[in-house]
Amino acid sequence: MTAETNDDRPAHPRRAFLNLRKPLVGAATLAGGLALYRSVHAAGDDTIKIALIGCGGRGTGATNQALSTSGPVKLVAMADAFDDRLQKSLTTLKRLQGERVDVPKERQFVGFDAYQRALAADPDLVILTTPPGFRPIHFEAAVKAGKHVFMEKPVAVDAAGVRSVLASAEEAKKRNLAVGVGFERRHRLNYLEAMKRIHDGAIGDVVYMRVYWNSDGVGWKERDPDDNEMTYQMRNWYYFNWLCGDHIVEQHVHLMDVANWVKGTHPVEANGLGGRQVKTGVEFGQNFDHHFVEFRYDDGVRLISQCRHIPGCWVSCSEHIVGTLGTCSIGEAGGAKIEGANPWQHNGRNDPNPYQVEHDVLFASIRSGQPINEAASGAISTMTSIFGRMATYSGQLLDWDKALNSPVRLAPADQQYSFDAEPPVLPDKAGAYPVAIPGVTEVI
Amino acid sequence: MRPYTEVIANTTVHFDLVPIPGGKFSMGSPADEPGHRADESPRHEVEVAPFWMGKHEVTWDEFDTWSFALDAKRRKAFKVAPSDLEAKADAVTRPTLPYREMSFDMGKVGCPAICMTQLAAKTYCQWLSEKTGRYYRLPTEAEWEFACRAGSDAAYSFGNDASQIDDFAWHRGNSQDRYHPVGQKKPNSFGLYDMHGNVAEWTLDAFTAAGYGQPAGVAVNPVALPNSVYPQTVRGGSWIDPVDRLRSAARLGSDRSWKRRDPQLPQSIWYFTDAPFVGFRIVRPLTEPPEAEKARLFDAGNEE
């Protein structure tokens, strides 16, 4: 299996603006256009109705961007496990978007099954921004309901989830549904420009790649004494594998996506080191605070990958692609450069906001009747990060096909999702959660 | 007043303060100064009281001690109980952790902290004050410009000859598109480094595009406290700026676009994701003001 390359994405974000106002009648000859045509027919205009599922900070941001695309758009439903998150998000969006936010009480849905009710509220497109553990379930339901989708990365936390997303991605393609995935680097000008040069041979043949997401770490939530175990894990989701997948999956996945983008495929082998040296408190759940993975692609090229969440250490969030003719380095500040035979530098400080561009591209593709579908590529990059976590958790040399076909699920197939249910992991008497032990833990 | 070194307890972090004698000076620039903008007018007489000022821009070493509670982590690791001062400092708000790393691969050790909102810079000062028992805050624009000029009426502390700038400052033409560790260039005659360039520095004042209004007589310790988040003033220019934006009188107003690529909503009150050119330095007034005055300075124009 190979990852999809970026062929279905506009080479330059501005290209996406061209077909924005194309009449929907023209688009309706395609199945996806029909789906939209049907839903907009009743409304009597070409308004794209949106449901937000997962009302955290990113979901709220993504919805604000969706509501800032060209053409009529409306937020018609919101869903979250928690009412307080939903209300905070609604207040923010109303302030910024005014009448584009039309979510009366009867279309505010709270609880684990809120996504089903939001899907039933007749949206054209859903934004899936819950913790990633739920993504495969929500994506499958959205595609079955015939909805266009924007979903945040990562799109799963285990191989079973990736396989589910790959299947739903196929189904979405058949139904001509648009699927945008929040790998926003794919819409950043510095990455697009760098990638064009790399693929045009500016650094020669790729010899190896280095990527780093070494930071001081992200926040956590204290346990409210009134919370039961499921509520606590949902609030502090970043630190539970079944919800988050660990930071190598939740965050560092961006950089593995870039490496796969360079190679046009995924690695076939991985081994890694990792552990939990500093963030050892119970509030950090199950996560390792560092992972160091060496991936091998089929042609022998290695990807050296570090991610660390420890305050006070060397930090870097960057990709370095070393070729026979030069090195391309891409960093967070929006910059990119090539040193070597074909030197080049790009200062991206005034580049378009990629979080906006990814929605502009997605919505334009829907309006033009030529929907983009980033789901399979996003699933393969997600799998790459899961593959990395499998390597650091197990300490073994792992094979891609076995990893992708692993029956191990972080939440059992028959897991009950409710606040009364027992979550897939429980604390011991000291309040500590199970943490992987390399050499002991089995991941495949 | 003497120079002194401040040591942050239970860390290896320390930094130097230099005395800035009070005095009168002409604030703003004349219309014929090359690069002059309307917001620098009219040139007017100002008097400021004595203060100490950070010899360097606040570094990540200092800033992270607060933002990531590295002092508390060290106390825990070495089993040291907090002093009374430290217990009070621990009670000062620390920022939520950013989702992304904020030095943007320009280096941290010995380098200026960047991308903080004015609220974050002010809260750092509040924490540092509790931690040390000495009152620190951001400079007013008047204090900043007085300190930058170091007695010079010219465009730069070293005179009007912009060709000397490379001896004193990192700017667009020599920075190689990044900030640099503090203190690598020559200081001004007060002994302050990087007042021109490297990173622009927060002040307490609102930015007024129309200039300074019509000051009558000598303004004593003036400060134009903001009543909104935007725009507030940063000074000194930075590694992304052309040389004339580094002039002693040059001003820049903060802008909402400084967090345009913060993907979360509500956007963080602590970070400017798109302002990798903004930092700050601290001052300590010789005469410590009463608590009410400290609160007045802190409370103005904060992010919500």
Side-chain angles (χ1 to χ4, degrees):
Chain A
M1 171 167 286
T2 56
E4 292 195 352
T5 52
N6 199 29
D7 295 339
D8 55 346
R9 300 161 204 264
H12 188 290
R14 298 209 184 283
R15 255 179 56 190
F17 290 97
L18 293 178
N19 287 324
L20 269 184
R21 302 300 301 197
K22 192 171 174 182
L24 274 159
V25 185
T29 51
L30 294 165
L34 275 173
L36 178 60
Y37 182 71
R38 268 200 307 277
S39 62
V40 300
H41 186 69
D45 60 27
D46 57 355
T47 300
I48 296 180
K49 290 175 291 172
I50 300 166
L52 166 60
I53 296 170
C55 304
R58 183 75 272 273
T60 309
T63 303
N64 186 47
Q65 276 127 13
L67 292 174
S68 302
T69 56
S70 295
V73 280
K74 194 169 250 189
L75 181 67
V76 298
M78 295 171 78
D80 198 278
F82 297 106
D83 188 54
D84 60 306
R85 299 310 303 257
L86 190 155
Q87 296 305 328
K88 188 178 171 194
S89 173
L90 179 57
T91 304
T92 303
L93 288 168
K94 266 187 183 160
R95 178 169 54 79
L96 293 168
Q97 295 287 349
E99 287 181 353
R100 288 183 168 190
V101 177
D102 178 23
V103 189
K105 207 77 200 165
E106 62 269 23
R107 291 200 297 272
Q108 301 171 18
F109 306 109
V110 172
F112 281 90
D113 63 348
Y115 74 100
Q116 292 166 336
R117 288 176 284 157
L119 284 169
D122 198 30
D124 304 304
L125 178 145
V126 291
I127 293 176
L128 305 181
T129 42
T130 63
F134 298 110
R135 200 85 74 247
I137 300 168
H138 292 177
F139 182 50
E140 182 185 8
V143 170
K144 276 189 177 151
K147 308 303 180 190
H148 302 295
V149 172
F150 174 81
M151 57 179 170
E152 260 304 340
K153 40 49 61 180
V155 300
V157 296
D158 57 16
V162 169
R163 296 194 300 270
S164 163
V165 170
L166 287 170
S168 299
E170 265 313 300
E171 185 63 23
K173 199 165 273 177
K174 275 184 209 149
R175 294 174 175 233
N176 219 27
L177 296 170
V179 185
V181 181
F183 285 106
E184 43 85 22
R185 280 165 174 71
R186 299 259 185 171
H187 300 281
R188 285 196 199 201
L189 207 49
N190 56 327
Y191 285 84
L192 290 161
E193 290 291 320
M195 217 51 80
K196 192 168 73 189
R197 283 167 176 77
I198 291 168
H199 290 152
D200 285 349
I203 61 167
D205 295 329
V206 174
V207 179
Y208 70 98
M209 300 180 280
R210 295 179 289 123
V211 299
Y212 307 96
W213 198 309
N214 292 343
S215 80
D216 303 274
V218 302
W220 67 94
K221 293 280 195 300
E222 296 293 342
R223 183 190 285 268
D224 184 324
D226 292 339
D227 286 349
N228 72 7
E229 188 57 33
M230 182 61 99
T231 306
Y232 170 65
Q233 292 193 18
M234 288 288 285
R235 292 278 190 194
N236 197 28
W237 64 269
Y238 208 91
Y239 297 94
F240 295 96
N241 278 178
W242 68 280
L243 289 166
C244 168
D246 206 328
H247 63 97
I248 188 175
V249 174
E250 201 284 332
Q251 188 170 59
H252 193 45
V253 64
H254 275 299
L255 309 196
M256 297 174 197
D257 181 55
V258 171
N260 285 351
W261 189 6
V262 169
K263 292 297 294 171
T265 185
H266 57 79
V268 295
E269 191 179 87
N271 84 89
L273 317 170
R276 193 174 151 98
Q277 178 68 22
V278 173
K279 292 196 157 177
T280 54
V282 297
E283 68 273 29
F284 300 118
Q286 303 179 274
N287 284 14
F288 277 9
D289 56 21
H290 62 287
H291 303 257
F292 192 140
V293 185
E294 181 184 325
F295 295 97
R296 183 173 66 78
Y297 287 80
D298 198 30
D299 61 1
V301 167
R302 307 265 170 171
L303 165 63
I304 308 297
S305 155
Q306 295 181 11
C307 62
R308 174 167 58 201
H309 273 194
I310 300 178
C313 301
W314 175 68
V315 296
S316 180
C317 188
S318 60
E319 301 94 343
H320 310 265
I321 300 104
V322 181
T324 48
L325 297 177
T327 297
C328 180
S329 292
I330 317 176
E332 264 281 11
K337 66 180 176 188
I338 289 175
E339 292 168 309
N342 300 295
W344 165 75
Q345 191 152 13
H346 175 83
N347 159 3
R349 277 190 297 279
N350 295 314
D351 285 354
N353 178 355
Y355 300 100
Q356 186 58 52
V357 173
E358 64 186 352
H359 284 273
D360 291 340
V361 169
L362 173 65
F363 279 72
S365 84
I366 294 169
R367 291 184 186 281
S368 70
Q370 292 169 25
I372 59 164
N373 189 332
E374 301 175 336
S377 162
I380 292 302
S381 289
T382 298
M383 186 62 219
T384 308
S385 66
I386 292 168
F387 193 31
R389 184 195 65 214
M390 289 170 158
T392 62
Y393 276 15
S394 69
Q396 307 299 334
L397 179 67
L398 301 182
D399 171 80
W400 172 271
D401 290 332
K402 284 184 188 144
L404 179 58
N405 292 307
S406 165
V408 173
R409 288 171 175 271
L410 299 183
D414 60 354
Q415 173 68 39
Q416 293 302 302
Y417 293 105
S418 86
F419 284 113
D420 301 326
E422 201 169 80
V425 290
L426 292 171
D428 65 16
K429 280 183 186 142
Y433 294 89
V435 174
I437 305 167
V440 174
T441 297
E442 293 189 9
V443 294
I444 288 182
Chain B
M1 293 175 83
R2 295 205 172 135
Y4 67 98
T5 298
E6 190 69 271
V7 178
I8 303 186
N10 283 310
T11 73
T12 55
V13 178
H14 55 85
F15 53 90
D16 295 336
L17 285 294
V18 297
I20 309 296
K24 285 185 193 168
F25 76 110
S26 294
M27 186 168 174
S29 64
D32 60 356
E33 183 173 291
H36 165 90
R37 290 187 184 177
D39 57 55
E40 302 163 22
S41 291
R43 194 162 226 208
H44 59 292
E45 295 307 299
V46 166
E47 183 175 347
V48 294
F51 56 93
W52 284 272
M53 188 175 225
K55 188 181 197 173
H56 301 118
E57 290 151 344
V58 170
T59 63
W60 285 115
D61 313 70
E62 297 152 41
F63 193 74
D64 283 354
T65 302
W66 166 64
S67 61
F68 298 126
L70 296 181
D71 54 338
K73 287 185 173 70
R74 285 178 74 100
R75 288 200 311 262
K76 193 175 168 196
F78 298 118
K79 300 187 167 58
V80 178
S83 67
D84 290 350
L85 286 175
E86 287 180 291
K88 283 172 71 185
D90 285 349
V92 174
T93 308
R94 304 200 199 236
T96 50
L97 297 177
Y99 183 74
R100 53 185 49 207
E101 190 284 307
M102 297 309 283
S103 71
F104 296 111
D105 270 85
M106 294 190 280
K108 286 195 103 169
V109 178
C111 292
I114 53 164
C115 289
M116 74 291 291
T117 60
Q118 195 214 41
L119 174 64
K122 287 197 296 190
T123 310
Y124 168 83
C125 293
Q126 204 174 50
W127 167 83
L128 185 66
S129 302
E130 297 286 13
K131 181 99 180 170
T132 59
R134 282 172 283 279
Y135 173 60
Y136 292 102
R137 60 166 168 77
L138 293 179
T140 65
E141 270 202 270
E143 287 165 340
W144 193 95
E145 187 170 329
F146 181 80
C148 177
R149 291 185 173 281
S152 164
D153 267 348
Y156 305 93
S157 60
F158 51 83
N160 282 319
D161 180 8
S163 70
Q164 291 183 48
I165 194 75
D166 285 352
D167 291 341
F168 292 89
W170 298 107
H171 55 88
R172 180 187 290 180
N174 68 3
S175 70
Q176 292 154 330
D177 224 29
R178 60 189 302 138
Y179 62 49
H180 289 262
V182 299
Q184 305 219 315
K185 299 288 189 179
K186 287 184 188 170
N188 70 13
S189 61
F190 281 150
L192 298 169
Y193 291 79
D194 301 306
M195 291 297 282
H196 299 301
N198 208 22
V199 294
E201 300 174 13
W202 277 116
T203 68
L204 286 173
D205 294 59
F207 175 75
T208 44
Y212 295 109
Q214 300 292 329
V218 178
V220 180
N221 298 320
V223 58
L225 289 181
N227 48 31
S228 62
V229 180
Y230 304 104
Q232 297 165 349
T233 309
V234 297
R235 287 299 209 108
S238 76
W239 56 275
I240 66 164
D241 286 314
V243 172
D244 68 358
R245 297 303 297 153
L246 274 56
R247 287 175 303 107
S248 300
R251 311 170 71 204
L252 179 66
S254 63
D255 189 84
R256 197 176 294 280
S257 67
W258 290 7
K259 52 172 83 164
R260 72 188 177 97
R261 284 182 280 196
D262 181 345
Q264 307 270 333
L265 269 182
Q267 293 183 314
S268 174
I269 61 173
W270 303 108
Y271 305 100
F272 276 129
T273 50
D274 292 88
F277 49 86
V278 170
F280 68 108
R281 85 175 69 209
I282 57 170
V283 297
R284 174 186 168 202
L286 175 60
T287 306
E288 188 175 327
E291 294 303 316
E293 174 65 3
K294 293 180 189 173
R296 190 177 77 94
L297 297 179
F298 184 88
D299 291 342
N302 286 339
E303 307 241 353
E304 286 174 5

